[in-house]
Amino acid sequence: KNPRGKKLGNSKGAWTSHLRRDVCSRIKGDPFWEPYLEQWEESKSPPGVHLAIFVEPYLRLLLEGSKTIESRFSVHRCAPYEKVNVGDVLILKRSGGPVVGLCQVSETLFYALGTVSLETIRAKYATALCAEDPAFWQDRKKASYATLLKVERPRTVEPLNLTKRDRRGWVVLASGHGLFP
């Protein structure tokens, strides 16, 4: 249900259109985010927009600014690998919970693991990822692809509930070449 108590529906189109409107309403008056998000409707080449699902403590660390790089590792070549561009917006959703923030991508790094080792990535980026625990890296040993996104301008928003029933941890909402579906 959205804040007005209406059920948002299960189709991607239904919840994404409500999400865009509701996120924009929550950043009114923000000197950076309000004009930046107006590009969604006014620009011929708006920023890409992605819904990223997070578990704790990584969501809190990103919103606090301690975590400056978001990572996604996968066995198969799938989003966000090579689907994110500099300037894109990440809408941040708590796993099993509401949307609670957003941030902007300032740099993208895509690795086919094998050409670059997981240990090389760990040595270079573990601190910025807030991933010093060896278990984090052990859990990613079978990955074939790594996406690292340097992020900036994290901003919390009033929690926004939405009906998303699938298990995807990443949803491309707009590719930067068009608006929300």
Side-chain angles (χ1 to χ4, degrees):
K1 292 184 179 183
N2 69 12
R4 293 173 192 84
K6 294 182 182 175
K7 190 171 182 179
L8 296 179
N10 294 330
S11 72
K12 181 179 170 188
W15 64 261
T16 59
S17 63
H18 289 284
L19 180 60
R20 178 176 66 76
R21 182 197 65 224
D22 291 343
V23 166
C24 286
S25 75
R26 282 165 166 69
I27 52 85
K28 290 256 187 256
D30 185 288
F32 172 78
W33 283 108
E34 185 174 15
Y36 194 75
L37 296 184
E38 285 176 359
Q39 295 179 68
W40 285 354
E41 295 179 4
E42 297 173 2
S43 175
K44 290 186 167 82
S45 59
V49 182
H50 308 264
L51 178 66
I53 313 306
F54 285 82
V55 296
E56 292 297 353
Y58 303 107
L59 176 60
R60 176 183 50 79
L61 293 168
L62 191 146
L63 287 169
E64 291 173 354
S66 303
K67 177 178 169 65
T68 57
I69 297 180
E70 170 54 11
S71 66
R72 299 294 164 120
F73 294 84
S74 62
V75 172
H76 303 287
R77 193 177 180 136
C78 61
Y81 188 81
E82 296 184 338
K83 302 288 184 194
V84 182
N85 296 299
V86 171
D88 283 3
V89 176
L90 305 184
I91 297 175
L92 313 174
K93 182 184 179 305
R94 180 174 288 118
S95 180
V99 167
V100 294
L102 66 161
C103 63
Q104 182 184 40
V105 176
S106 62
E107 186 177 344
T108 60
L109 303 160
F110 305 105
Y111 297 102
L113 299 174
T115 57
V116 172
S117 75
L118 193 59
E119 284 306 313
T120 300
I121 293 171
R122 179 181 183 175
K124 190 169 184 179
Y125 300 109
T127 301
L129 290 165
C130 292
E132 304 288 349
D133 184 351
F136 176 93
W137 299 100
Q138 184 64 36
D139 290 346
R140 285 146 183 87
K141 280 204 179 247
K142 293 184 181 178
S144 299
Y145 299 94
T147 300
L148 302 180
L149 306 171
K150 290 189 179 182
V151 295
E152 61 186 13
R153 301 182 187 277
R155 186 191 193 284
T156 59
V157 297
E158 178 185 333
L160 167 62
N161 293 316
L162 62 96
T163 303
K164 178 188 168 298
R165 301 210 186 273
D166 61 65
R167 296 180 52 90
R168 292 176 294 168
W170 194 278
V171 181
V172 178
L173 299 172
S175 67
H177 302 292
L179 301 176
F180 281 92

